[in-house]
Amino acid sequence: MNESERLDKVISTQTSYSRKDIKRMARSGEILVNGKICKNSDVKINPEKDVITIGTDKISYKRHVYYMMNKPKGVLSASNDKNATTVVDILPPQLKRKNLFPAGRLDKDTTGLLIITDDGDFAHRMLSPNKQVYKHYIATLDKELDDTVKERFESGIVLSDGTVCQKAYFDKLSENTALVKICEGKFHQVKKMFLSCSYTVTELKRVQIGNLRLDEELEPSGVREMTQEEINSVFDGKIY
Ligand code: URA
């Protein structure tokens, strides 16, 4: 990484302050670098080593952040939207910073595990079907499941428009609920897969990505930072 970065750039990526705010705060003596007032926000610093404070708040530098959210119903998986509330809008203020986005989308009415990050490479790796990172969903159906559905999911569903889906893992959990594991992310994929077997999904919850499970302690809308072990577990390729 670049050991020498502009002070305003570092602060602006780690907080929600604009460059203009930062310049103004620096001029008025509110920004300290290693305990000394720094009135010039253009100076080069080492973000890994130098200690930046704004007023009394220490900026803890993190190149990227990774949050686990228990997405509630009715919220859009996007960074911002003119009309709808997004998953980034509902983050607590202390977790907000620039360039955050959801790694992969859940439909507005889908709940459960969503990763919010500012690391594009991470998201790309997680979403690429080639990387075989399985996403696990619990689907509730409008009627009792018959035994042919498992076989169809496991041999590769063909959607109504002819799109061929990769083989999915399927476990019946109750008369009308199933655990489905897929490594692709086609639009409305799980709902469309069931529709092609004449079932309507009435509830959909994502519970796991790779080997990362949704922390069931998180209430709907709850969010917390992920540990390094959890970040790595997304790419643990085994199917559980
Ligand atoms: N498949 C769907 O149909 N919807 C989602 O939100 C995720 C997967």
Side-chain angles (χ1 to χ4, degrees):
M1 84 151 280
N2 186 357
E3 293 234 320
S4 174
E5 287 192 45
R6 275 172 62 132
L7 177 61
D8 57 354
K9 181 174 173 223
V10 173
I11 299 177
S12 80
T13 56
Q14 303 293 304
T15 67
S16 50
Y17 292 121
S18 67
R19 296 251 182 141
K20 208 167 144 198
D21 292 333
I22 297 161
K23 196 170 190 144
R24 181 186 42 75
M25 291 188 297
R27 284 223 183 99
S28 63
E30 289 169 65
I31 299 180
L32 281 76
V33 177
N34 299 324
K36 289 200 187 109
I37 289 178
C38 179
K39 294 212 166 195
N40 179 3
S41 58
D42 300 350
V43 289
K44 295 275 179 92
I45 59 144
N46 180 339
E48 306 274 8
K49 293 196 181 126
D50 294 322
V51 179
I52 306 165
T53 23
I54 302 181
T56 53
D57 295 332
K58 185 173 159 206
I59 308 291
S60 64
Y61 179 80
K62 284 189 185 127
R63 188 153 166 71
H64 291 298
V65 290
Y66 307 85
Y67 304 140
M68 173 195 295
M69 176 181 277
N70 183 0
K71 181 193 170 295
K73 274 191 184 177
V75 174
L76 205 66
S77 290
S79 301
N80 50 59
D81 189 84
K82 272 197 217 121
N83 306 309
T85 304
T86 71
V87 291
V88 171
D89 293 334
I90 65 169
L91 288 175
Q94 71 276 14
L95 296 187
K96 287 202 180 172
R97 59 190 240 164
K98 285 190 199 68
N99 307 325
L100 289 172
F101 62 90
R105 288 173 179 239
L106 291 178
D107 297 336
K108 207 168 175 183
D109 60 352
T110 300
T111 59
L113 179 57
L114 187 70
I115 297 174
I116 297 175
T117 184
D118 56 357
D119 185 345
D121 289 341
F122 170 91
H124 186 260
R125 272 200 298 148
M126 187 191 113
L127 298 170
S128 165
N130 295 338
K131 301 286 178 206
Q132 299 274 297
V133 175
Y134 278 82
K135 288 87 187 175
H136 303 205
Y137 296 88
I138 295 179
T140 307
L141 292 319
D142 60 334
K143 56 182 186 256
E144 194 174 328
L145 283 160
D146 70 55
D147 295 339
T148 59
V149 183
K150 180 177 170 70
E151 204 186 300
R152 290 190 59 187
F153 269 64
E154 295 192 344
S155 57
I157 295 266
V158 181
L159 302 180
S160 57
D161 64 359
T163 307
V164 180
C165 298
Q166 288 189 22
K167 291 175 186 175
Y169 290 83
F170 185 99
D171 286 300
K172 187 170 166 179
L173 300 176
S174 75
E175 275 186 359
N176 70 331
T177 59
L179 176 66
V180 174
K181 304 174 188 175
I182 55 172
C183 65
E184 302 167 290
K186 300 185 199 303
F187 190 53
H188 297 325
Q189 183 163 345
V190 175
K191 290 174 185 167
K192 285 181 180 168
M193 287 166 93
F194 275 107
L195 215 50
S196 75
C197 303
S198 306
Y199 289 87
T200 299
V201 173
T202 56
E203 297 274 337
L204 191 62
K205 180 177 184 180
R206 184 157 65 191
V207 291
Q208 190 167 329
I209 299 173
N211 195 24
L212 173 73
R213 291 201 187 156
L214 173 65
D215 178 347
E216 293 289 348
E217 304 265 291
L218 287 177
E219 301 285 324
S221 304
V223 59
R224 67 160 173 80
E225 246 184 282
M226 287 163 56
T227 63
Q228 189 57 50
E229 203 182 332
E230 287 175 330
I231 296 165
N232 299 341
S233 73
V234 167
F235 302 104
D236 177 342
K238 294 182 211 118
I239 289 287
Y240 294 87

